[in-house]
């Protein structure tokens, strides 16, 4: 189904969405259920996406991108997510990490990796969370000790998306004193085949094809040339990157809600009970109408956030709104759609898988409570909202 026109999506962006939709429906959608079972992502499909320019098109041309602006990334994320949220996670990792690498990496080190990411030949994970906690991210403990022209990493990162599939990873560790908080954190680009790295894989509820796991570091030596930004300044950089990914996550999960709503309307209009279509009963149609309203509104908020980013205007608070509202709303919408299908919705299939998939984003990339704290700080000031 074509998108509603709106002020954010030019004819070119609508045409891009149409091209991506065709690819996603023909090439990605058919494997949606099977990927959940096999828990593998087909790398040749990723390379096809890269060849078509569907990975991080917002990157400047010097890094292999198309210099298209983040709205292009937005429409690609939407169309890929409609086919398979796990697959669109690859778009998300590429857009989030490429921005960090391009902004803060040494060009001769990050350049070749960026070209591979955009070509769909490499996956870059991002590792912030640790066994001791994820919400209080500034309190991370993974040690990074300077040893001449290397850093030596020891410790564990956990709950990392694509941990066992990634070729490289943006890793955040403590280079400052143990109590240095946000000001003692450094980011490194870590090739995942470096000696001393091992990974595990969890048995996830959803997003099973991308998967999550731990990364263990045992005396892992990384050249100083692989540092992203300045020593002890890593934390500030990643937070900026998350503003982008939070708007993209909103668009991804709302796109899954959108297809679920479309299918639920179609089903309810043709299935009969008590001699009438289900839509004749307001108990069926009004919840769908309410969610129709909210999904439209939330999507516009996400597009507005990308528009602010592209216009170099502040958007941290709006990104927080996208990130808490989108995943919560999408989950509730898909739940309602599943119920609309009656017993058929409860079978293993697209609806229940979508519900499992979107739930992950109520936690990953920061929970709703943390997002609301970010918004509250923006409104009332950091002093009035200390934690
Ligand atoms: C699908 C998925 C993908 C993920 N991918 C990645 C990844 O690629 N890289 C990565 O680094 N991490 C990743 N994570 C980890 C994720 O970022 C963390 O799980 C998240 O930040 C929460 O941290 P935690 O699980 O340690 O919970 P905790 O920090 O222990 O929090 C537990 C609960 O307490 C609440 N809470 C904590 N502090 C406060 C507070 N101050 N006020 C109110 N409530 C609070 C939280 O909201 C949460 O509900 C992923 C997680 C999931 C589920």
């Amino acid at each position: 189904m074509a998108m509603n026109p709106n002020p954010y999506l030019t004819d070119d962006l609508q045409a891009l969405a149409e091209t991506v939709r065709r690819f996603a429906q023909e090439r990605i959608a058919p494997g949606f259920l099977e990927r959940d079972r096999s828990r593998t992502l087909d790398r040749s499909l990723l390379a096809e996406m890269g060849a078509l320019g569907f990975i991080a098109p917002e990157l400047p041309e010097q890094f292999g991108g198309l210099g298209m602006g983040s709205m292009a990334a937005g429409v690609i994320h939407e169309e890929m997510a409609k086919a398979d949220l796990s697959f669109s996670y690859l778009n998300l990792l590429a857009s989030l990490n490429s921005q960090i690498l391009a902004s803060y990496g040494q060009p001769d080190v990050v350049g070749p990796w960026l070209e591979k990411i955009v070509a769909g030949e490499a996956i870059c994970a991002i590792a912030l969370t640790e066994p001791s906690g994820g919400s209080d991210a500034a309190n991370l403990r993974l040690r990074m000790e300077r040893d001449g022209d290397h850093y030596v990493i020891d410790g564990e990162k956990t709950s990392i998306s694509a941990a066992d599939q990634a070729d490289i990873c943006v890793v955040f560790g403590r280079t400052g004193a143990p109590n240095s908080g946000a000001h003692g954190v450094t980011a490194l680009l870590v090739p995942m085949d470096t000696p001393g790295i091992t990974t595990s894989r969890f048995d996830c509820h959803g997003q099973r094809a991308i998967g999550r796991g731990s990364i263990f570091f045992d005396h892992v030596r990384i050249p100083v040339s692989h540092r992203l930004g300045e020593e002890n300044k890593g934390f500030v950089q990643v937070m900026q990157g998350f503003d982008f990914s939070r708007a993209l996550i909103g668009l991804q999960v709302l796109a899954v809600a959108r297809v679920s709503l479309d299918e639920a309307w179609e089903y309810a209009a043709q299935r009969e009970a008590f001699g009438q279509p289900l839509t004749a009963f307001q108990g069926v149609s009004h919840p769908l109408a309410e969610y129709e309203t909210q999904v439209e509104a939330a999507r516009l908020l996400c597009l507005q956030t990308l528009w602010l980013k592209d216009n170099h205007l502040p958007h941290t608070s709006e990104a927080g709104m996208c990130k808490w509202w989108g995943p919560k709303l999408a989950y509730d919408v898909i739940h309602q759609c599943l119920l609309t299908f009656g017993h058929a919705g409860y079978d293993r299939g697209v609806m229940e898988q979508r519900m499992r998939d979107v739930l992950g984003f109520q936690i990953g990339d920061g929970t709703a409570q943390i997002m609301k704290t970010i918004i509250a700080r923006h409104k009332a000031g950091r002093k009035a909202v200390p934690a």
Side-chain angles (χ1 to χ4, degrees):
M1 194 183 289
M3 290 189 224
N4 282 339
N6 67 56
Y8 300 105
L9 301 180
T10 59
D11 289 349
D12 284 351
L13 287 168
Q14 295 264 2
L16 172 66
E18 181 56 42
T19 314
V20 180
R21 186 178 315 140
R22 235 176 291 125
F23 169 81
Q25 292 307 316
E26 280 170 22
R27 305 288 294 137
I28 307 292
F32 175 57
L33 295 175
E34 180 50 32
R35 255 175 243 124
D36 184 68
R37 280 187 282 269
S38 69
R39 304 201 301 161
T40 51
L41 290 167
D42 186 341
R43 286 286 192 121
S44 66
L45 276 179
L46 181 63
E48 279 184 48
M49 281 163 60
L52 289 164
F54 295 165
I55 301 175
E58 69 280 8
L59 262 193
E61 285 173 36
Q62 76 197 84
F63 294 123
L66 302 170
M68 286 184 79
S70 50
M71 208 67 82
V75 300
I76 293 173
H77 276 69
E78 286 190 305
E79 295 307 328
M80 293 298 296
K82 285 178 188 170
D84 186 344
L85 189 68
S86 263
F87 227 100
S88 75
Y89 210 122
L90 295 171
N91 294 98
L92 184 71
L93 287 175
S95 283
L96 168 62
N97 289 315
S98 296
Q99 180 182 266
I100 294 170
L101 298 187
S103 303
Y104 302 106
Q106 206 172 291
D108 60 316
V109 174
V110 298
W113 282 114
L114 283 168
E115 280 175 24
K116 282 189 173 197
I117 291 171
V118 173
E121 291 165 5
I123 297 174
C124 183
I126 184 159
L128 192 59
T129 305
E130 299 186 356
S132 57
S135 299
D136 187 8
N139 205 14
L140 57 83
R141 295 173 189 176
L142 182 95
R143 279 310 307 174
M144 285 178 176
E145 297 286 350
R146 183 77 178 259
D147 178 20
D149 55 2
H150 281 75
Y151 288 99
V152 181
I153 314 177
D154 279 289
E156 179 185 345
K157 291 289 180 185
T158 198
S159 191
I160 309 306
S161 296
D164 66 340
Q165 306 199 58
D167 303 285
I168 49 172
C169 186
V170 174
V171 179
F172 294 85
R174 184 149 309 278
T175 36
N179 60 356
S180 52
H183 302 290
V185 172
T186 297
L188 295 179
L189 166 58
V190 174
M192 291 297 282
D193 60 359
T194 310
I197 293 180
T198 48
T199 59
S200 68
R201 178 110 177 220
F202 305 159
D203 189 8
C204 291
H205 179 64
Q207 302 180 1
R208 289 172 62 78
I210 192 85
R212 280 179 314 130
S214 284
I215 309 177
F216 304 94
F217 298 85
D218 181 12
H219 248 61
V220 175
R221 293 179 69 81
I222 300 297
V224 171
S225 61
H226 284 48
R227 195 177 63 211
L228 301 167
E230 292 168 49
E231 191 168 281
N232 294 332
K233 297 275 172 66
F235 199 70
V236 181
Q237 293 153 11
V238 72
M239 288 306 159
Q240 283 171 4
F242 279 157
D243 286 346
F244 185 23
S245 62
R246 283 170 185 161
L248 293 174
I249 288 170
L251 287 174
Q252 285 179 296
V253 294
L254 292 167
V256 182
R258 161 57 44 221
V259 281
S260 304
L261 270 173
D262 290 347
E263 290 170 18
W265 280 120
E266 195 181 334
Y267 180 78
Q270 59 80 31
R271 183 164 173 97
E272 291 192 355
F274 304 93
Q276 298 189 76
L278 292 177
T279 39
F281 305 108
Q282 293 184 353
V284 174
S285 60
H286 282 193
L288 295 182
E290 285 173 16
Y291 283 135
E292 193 69 31
T293 313
Q294 292 175 40
V295 167
E296 282 296 304
R299 177 174 183 246
L300 289 172
L301 173 66
C302 298
L303 294 174
Q304 164 76 5
T305 304
L306 291 183
W307 182 88
L308 289 170
K309 174 177 162 50
D310 280 345
N311 286 279
H312 312 290
L313 294 165
H315 55 283
T316 298
S317 179
E318 288 79 2
M321 296 176 196
C322 300
K323 175 60 183 60
W324 84 257
W325 191 21
K328 166 90 172 75
L329 176 60
Y331 186 83
D332 294 346
V333 167
I334 300 165
H335 181 199
Q336 189 63 41
C337 293
L338 185 151
L339 297 177
T340 306
F341 278 81
H343 74 89
Y346 191 61
D347 291 344
R348 285 243 176 234
V350 289
M351 266 325 160
E352 67 83 31
Q353 188 176 322
R354 286 175 189 154
M355 209 163 81
R356 286 188 283 114
D357 284 350
V358 299
L359 180 59
F361 279 127
Q362 287 192 42
I363 307 167
D365 207 298
T367 63
Q369 289 98 323
I370 299 306
M371 295 306 122
K372 289 174 192 174
T373 297
I374 291 169
I375 298 163
R377 270 189 190 152
H378 181 77
K379 298 303 289 186
R382 181 172 268 269
K383 221 170 135 197
V385 188

